[in-house]
């Protein structure tokens, strides 16, 4: 329905490639896309504004990372900041020193409080607590019955003196529940309250009365992850109305991007403690800020690619390769090493899928044979050191031996050598400052992958720059070329 | 938009085919007329209907009592909150619309159009701009298919209510059945949410409040399609006017659960045609509502949308995109937890509410 942010950003990436430093205009371009992505993920506008402002400031002042292109770097900053807000003060549920610990649930109608009460009770029980559920939602028809059914399922007693359906006083019920829990020595009391709107003053007063009556150790604000722009108002109303000590996100098993999480976390400043991910009573887990950050941005793949690239790319190695390329000393051994670097970054399909603009080529990606790399490795491993450094010595007899040794055929060995020669030639061209002409390579991919112009590369080399960029790009191209067994020149993406 | 619905009731369970045909012929005429005034006229003077019935077989007339029943009025009232806390600034409009969940594209589109309209009309004062915006939104939101399909005479009308968890399906059904009962309709409710704990009981409470019959599962976890089937069966055997089937909340990306809706549909269609499939959407939802509507429309042939919880701070701007992008009419709105807190969606009232001068509540 919405173009995915990764795809949209790939355009921005193209324009930014090859720049050594972030200019204000570069940042603004990327931020515009990010603003839109955040809005489409339902992050509230005022939170988006504040957030992008912060990003801009940091991006302008930040040093240029060597492994990333500028746009990727902005994305990296965004991701860091998102994680900081979502999980800056990650903490566990706090338990009272004098039991019972009282947990009060509050939220809008339909956010999932009652279901959550059941899940929370089960989870606590599994951790050897003795929870007591309190049916203080006397508003919604049969909310009490629902809680009783849940209580029975998870084997947790339910304190429900009132039948509900508009009858009974929830404040009294809550108060009695605490007394009962103390007497019967329950360790945790979970108070399920009625859903209420932040603007409903009467109901908010009732929530405050319940709070004052039970003096909760935790007031968990239960938020539907599909919440829209209104999340800000709702969060403000509950934060000011009853006070929020922690947040629980529900319905995360849906396909919403969950921007509400960011809005609520920003407004309340309270940590998100749990996420609820399904209708089963076990579908309940601690909250993972990094997963949420990726989900909101809808570009988790790019973010992980960036992280992987930074982790696994050995800068020294790439510098050595770049020099070799320029001197035309690129050998099969280097070819192998490059491939192994790529392998280190993850599966080939994964890597290709991570690149922006690749979305439309999913089908071809599915046909991509991961084993191709393994086979290529086998072939090179079956060569002698001499053969690896000087492929020219490879005559018919040697090729036959290699084919047998690697369990492949002579044709495959021939194809590999042909591809290697092509790659070596291409790298030489790049190193000398020209544009490589790779049959079947996808321009969007090259843009997204941080392709930089040849000229700049030479400059960097002269300055002795450690930039991983050119080599990384070359490695990627080589890898791609590598995989294209069935043939170069077909014109299809990746030559598949 | 429309305050009246007519009910075609038969005294005899079996009608002669001729008459049924006539009723069917008469029906599109009523459907097409979008204006309440027009419909009122029809209600006050039901002559054309009677004449048509008389034409082919005047003898049949006494055997068939075609009644038109007026249903109580419902209006949005002050359910919608104003967008503007101060005078309209054209430059801020886009942001304001985004805040109301209109979505980035729609917000841009509307604010551009308003700018153009303002230029053209030479409008610049706050009052003029509010009026222009109200007219623009009313025009964009008005559709000819916003009325509930409760007048084609194919009794019982079967309404299937679907939506994600917690959207307000059961509450909507409770309100709807009370309203129909007030109009003296015979209502049968089907509790096909056999999954969530106490969902059946929740509907039962509404059923007794609304004085409607209820069909529930015989045992826990019974196949919802069979409950739906039995609901229609009871509606047919008791000669009820309408059967409303409540389904379990399901997130649109759960394929198995979505497929279950198709099964429920087929079970119903074995005995009766489905008059309406109403998708209930929570007004506090953001852009995900589009994904919801799209998915439900695909599997369940949604015919209309119910926007619930419009009484909160949420403005429900997403309904604009739902209508524009997915071509689904918004038919009803829910504005509170009381049994009478719902209304037919009126673009004009909605637009008026959005541009009203702020009364802080």
């Amino acid at each position: 329905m919405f173009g995915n942010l990764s795809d949209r950003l790939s355009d921005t990436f193209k324009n930014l490639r090859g720049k050594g430093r972030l200019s204000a205009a570069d940042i603004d371009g990327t931020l515009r896309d990010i603003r839109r992505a955040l809005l489409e993920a339902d992050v509230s506008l005022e939170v988006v504004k504040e957030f992008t402002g912060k990003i801009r400031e940091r991006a302008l002042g930040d040093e240029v990372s060597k492994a990333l292109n500028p746009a990727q770097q902005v994305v990296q900053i965004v991701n860091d900041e998102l994680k900081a807000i979502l999980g800056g003060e990650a903490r566990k549920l706090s338990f009272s020193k004098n039991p019972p610990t009282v947990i009060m649930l509050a939220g809008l109608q339909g956010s999932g409080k009652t279901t959550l009460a059941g899940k929370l009770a089960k989870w606590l029980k599994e951790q050897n607590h003795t929870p007591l559920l309190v049916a203080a939602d006397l508003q919604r028809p049969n909310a009490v019955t629902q809680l009783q059914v849940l209580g029975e399922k998870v084997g947790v007693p339910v304190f429900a003196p009132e039948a509900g359906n508009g009858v009974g006083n929830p404040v009294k019920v809550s108060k009695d529940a605490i007394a009962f829990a103390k007497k019967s020595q329950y360790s945790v009391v979970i108070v399920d309250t009625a859903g209420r709107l932040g603007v409903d003053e009467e109901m908010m007063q009732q929530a405050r009365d319940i709070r004052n009556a039970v003096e909760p150790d935790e007031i968990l604000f239960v938020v539907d992850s599909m919440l829209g722009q209104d999340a800000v108002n709702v969060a403000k109303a509950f934060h000011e109305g009853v006070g929020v000590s922690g947040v629980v996100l529900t319905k995360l098993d849906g396909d919403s991007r969950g921007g509400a999480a960011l809005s609520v976390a920003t407004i309340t400043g309270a940590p998100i403690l749990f996420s609820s991910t399904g209708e089963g009573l076990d579908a309940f887990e601690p909250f993972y800020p990094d997963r949420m950050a990726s989900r909101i941005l809808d570009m988790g793949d790019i973010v992980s690619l960036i992280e992987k690239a930074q982790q696994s790319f050995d800068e020294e190695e790439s510098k050595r390769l770049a020099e070799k390329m320029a001197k035309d000393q690129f050998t099969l051994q280097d070819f192998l090493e490059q491939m192994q670097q790529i392998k280190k970054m993850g599966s080939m399909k994964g890597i290709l899928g991570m690149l922006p603009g690749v979305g439309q080529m999913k089908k071809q990606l599915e046909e991509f044979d991961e084993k191709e790399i393994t086979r290529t490795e086998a072939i090179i491993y079956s060569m002698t050191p001499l053969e690896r450094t000087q492929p020219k010595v490879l005559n018919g007899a040697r090729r036959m031996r290699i084919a047998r040794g690697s369990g492949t055929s002579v044709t495959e060995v021939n194809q590999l050598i042909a591809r290697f020669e092509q790659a070596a030639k291409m790298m030489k061209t790049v190193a000398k400052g020209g544009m490589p002409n790779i049959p079947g390579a996808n321009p969007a991919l090259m843009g997204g992958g941080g392709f930089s112009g040849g000229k700049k590369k030479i400059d960097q080399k002269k300055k002795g720059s450690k930039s991983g960029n050119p080599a990384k790009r070359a490695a990627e191209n080589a890898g791609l070329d590598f995989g294209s067994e069935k043939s170069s020149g077909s014109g299809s993406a990746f030559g598949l | 938009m429309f305050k009246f619905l007519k009910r075609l009731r038969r005294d005899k369970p079996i009608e002669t085919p001729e008459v049924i045909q006539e009723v069917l012929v008469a029906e599109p005429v009523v459907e097409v007329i979008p204006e309440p005034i027009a419909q009122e006229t029809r209600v006050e003077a039901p002559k054309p209907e009677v004449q048509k019935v008389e034409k082919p077989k005047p003898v049949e007339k006494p055997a068939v009592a075609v009644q038109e029943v007026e249903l109580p009025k419902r209006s949005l009232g002050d359910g919608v909150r104003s967008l503007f806390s101060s005078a309209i600034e054209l430059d801020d409009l886009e942001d304001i619309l985004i805040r109301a969940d209109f979505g980035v594209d729609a917000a841009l589109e509307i604010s551009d159009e308003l700018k153009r309209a303002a230029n053209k009309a030479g409008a610049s004062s706050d009052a003029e701009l509010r009026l222009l915006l109200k007219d623009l939104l009313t025009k964009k939101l008005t559709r000819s298919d916003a009325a509930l399909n409760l007048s084609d005479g194919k009794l019982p009308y079967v309404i299937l209510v679907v939506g994600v968890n917690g959207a307000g399906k059961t509450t909507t059904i409770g309100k709807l059945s009370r309203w129909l009962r007030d109009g003296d309709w015979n209502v049968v409710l089907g509790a096909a949410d056999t999954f969530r704990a106490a969902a059946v009981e929740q509907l039962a409470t509404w059923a007794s409040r609304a004085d409607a019959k209820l069909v529930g599962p015989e045992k826990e976890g019974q196949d919802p399609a069979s409950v739906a089937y039995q609901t229609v069966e009871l509606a047919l055997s008791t000669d009820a006017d309408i059967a409303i089937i409540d389904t379990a909340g399901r997130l649109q990306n759960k394929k198995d659960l979505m497929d279950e809706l198709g099964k429920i549909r087929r079970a119903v269609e074995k005995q009766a045609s489905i008059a309406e499939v109403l998708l209930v959407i929570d007004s506090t939802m953001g852009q995900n509502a589009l994904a919801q509507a799209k998915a439900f429309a695909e599997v369940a042939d949604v015919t209309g949308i119910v926007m619930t919880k419009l009484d909160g701070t949420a403005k429900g701007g997403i309904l604009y995109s739902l209508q524009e992008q997915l071509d689904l009419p918004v038919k009803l709105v829910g504005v509170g937890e009381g049994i009478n807190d719902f209304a037919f969606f009126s673009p004009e009232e909605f637009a008026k509410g959005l541009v009203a001068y702020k009364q802080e509540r």
Side-chain angles (χ1 to χ4, degrees), chain B residues 110-128:
Chain B
I110 297 170
S111 66
D112 280 353
E113 270 186 53
L114 185 68
K115 277 178 201 162
R116 247 176 283 141
N119 269 337
K120 206 171 145 199
S124 60
S125 75
D126 183 37
E128 283 172 320

Side-chain angles (χ1 to χ4, degrees), chain B residues 225-285:
Chain B
S226 75
V227 178
Y229 184 87
Q230 286 162 0
T231 307
V232 180
E233 202 170 45
L234 182 73
L236 284 166
S237 68
T238 57
D239 212 11
D241 300 293
I242 189 157
I244 308 177
I245 298 165
D246 187 17
T247 62
R250 62 203 76 220
L251 293 177
Q252 70 275 14
N253 57 345
K254 301 280 171 70
K255 189 166 181 302
D256 294 351
L257 290 175
M258 292 301 276
D259 289 347
E260 186 186 271
L261 284 179
K263 190 177 174 193
I264 295 176
R265 267 198 78 100
R266 290 191 295 279
V268 170
E269 281 169 341
K270 281 188 179 145
Q271 303 178 80
S273 58
I274 295 179
E276 290 276 359
V277 178
L278 297 178
L279 170 64
V280 180
I281 286 185
D282 184 334
S283 301
T284 56
M285 294 295 100

Side-chain angles (χ1 to χ4, degrees), chain B residues 29-96:
Chain B
V29 187
V30 185
E31 280 277 281
V32 170
I33 298 167
E35 290 306 310
I37 312 102
Q39 235 165 5
E40 276 171 48
T41 328
R42 186 160 279 274
V43 173
E44 281 155 15
K47 272 169 274 165
E49 198 87 19
V50 178
Q51 278 169 356
K52 271 181 192 162
V53 174
E54 279 170 355
K55 252 189 266 168
K57 269 194 180 176
V59 207
E60 290 291 330
K61 198 191 160 196
V64 185
V66 179
Q67 273 182 306
E68 282 180 340
V69 176
E70 181 181 323
L71 285 162
K73 293 188 185 192
R74 291 282 193 274
S75 87
L76 263 173
D78 53 359
V80 187
R81 278 145 205 284
S82 180
L83 292 172
F84 307 98
S85 50
S86 54
I88 297 190
E89 288 287 342
L90 278 176
D91 291 337
D92 294 343
L93 185 61
E94 189 186 338
D95 280 3
I96 286 172

Side-chain angles (χ1 to χ4, degrees), chain B residues 279 281 288-298 305 322 326 328:
Chain B
L279 170 64
I281 286 185
N288 190 248
L290 285 174
Q292 286 174 22
K294 198 165 170 243
F296 276 99
E298 266 167 28
I305 285 173
L322 285 170
L326 301 172
L328 289 170

Side-chain angles (χ1 to χ4, degrees), chain A residues 114-240:
Chain A
T114 308
T115 306
L116 181 87
K119 292 178 181 179
L120 192 58
K122 181 164 195 278
W123 184 79
L124 286 167
K125 195 181 166 212
E126 280 161 6
Q127 304 196 351
N128 298 322
H129 290 282
T130 46
L132 172 72
L133 286 163
V134 180
D137 177 357
L138 306 178
Q139 202 75 17
R140 180 165 61 91
N142 295 87
V144 175
T145 325
Q146 188 187 349
L147 195 66
Q148 280 168 334
V149 174
L150 288 170
E152 200 172 304
K153 273 189 190 160
V154 301
V156 170
V158 179
F159 184 80
E162 298 281 358
N165 296 357
V167 185
N169 178 358
V171 183
K172 185 172 179 300
V173 168
S174 313
K175 207 169 186 168
D176 294 349
I178 302 299
F180 175 76
K182 276 185 183 149
K183 204 179 82 193
S184 320
Q185 303 202 321
Y186 284 101
S187 67
V188 186
V189 180
I190 303 166
V191 184
D192 177 32
T193 66
R196 61 202 76 222
L197 291 166
V199 283
D200 190 336
E201 211 14 75
E202 203 179 310
M203 288 296 281
M204 290 308 275
Q205 184 55 48
Q206 185 202 71
R208 274 192 292 277
D209 292 344
I210 296 177
R211 179 194 65 194
N212 297 340
V214 303
E215 293 173 359
D217 301 280
E218 289 277 10
I219 301 174
L220 297 185
F221 179 37
V222 183
V223 188
D224 187 327
S225 55
M226 295 182 279
L227 209 58
Q229 292 287 322
D230 200 39
V232 189
N233 302 323
V234 175
K236 263 185 204 153
F238 275 87
H239 195 49
E240 287 160 15

Side-chain angles (χ1 to χ4, degrees), chain A residues 1-2 35-36 39-42 45-46 49 108-111 115 139-143 145-147 149-150 153 165-166 195-199 203 224 226-231 233-234 251-257 277-280, chain B residues 81 94-96 98-101 104-105 164-167 171 195-199 201-206 209 220 249-254 257 282 284-288 290-292 294 309 311-315 325-326 337 361:
Chain A
M1 183 164 297
F2 317 107
R35 170 182 181 268
R36 199 189 161 93
L39 286 173
E40 278 172 1
D42 287 320
L45 185 65
E46 56 178 284
K49 283 186 169 166
L108 291 176
Q109 289 95 340
S111 54
T115 306
Q139 202 75 17
R140 180 165 61 91
N142 295 87
T145 325
Q146 188 187 349
L147 195 66
V149 174
L150 288 170
K153 273 189 190 160
N165 296 357
R196 61 202 76 222
L197 291 166
V199 283
M203 288 296 281
D224 187 327
M226 295 182 279
L227 209 58
Q229 292 287 322
D230 200 39
N233 302 323
V234 175
K251 305 181 203 170
L252 265 176
D253 50 327
D255 58 5
S256 71
R257 303 252 301 274
T277 52
E279 293 187 82
Chain B
R81 278 145 205 284
E94 189 186 338
D95 280 3
I96 286 172
I98 288 176
R99 280 200 182 97
D101 284 319
V104 182
D105 293 324
V164 299
N165 316 57
T171 308
F195 186 84
R196 204 198 69 199
E201 287 81 355
Q202 189 183 347
L203 190 66
T205 306
W206 282 110
R209 281 184 194 172
E220 206 191 332
R250 62 203 76 220
L251 293 177
Q252 70 275 14
N253 57 345
K254 301 280 171 70
L257 290 175
D282 184 334
T284 56
M285 294 295 100
Q287 304 304 304
N288 190 248
L290 285 174
Q292 286 174 22
K294 198 165 170 243
K309 310 181 197 173
D311 50 328
T313 38
K315 310 288 193 307
Q325 283 188 25
L326 301 172
E337 283 188 293
R361 278 199 293 186

Side-chain angles (χ1 to χ4, degrees), chain A residues 385-401:
Chain A
L386 176 77
E387 285 164 348
R388 291 185 206 181
T389 46
Q390 292 180 35
K392 281 178 196 128
V393 303
L394 287 166
N395 58 20
R398 284 175 189 265
R399 288 182 195 210
M400 181 83 92
R401 190 204 78 240

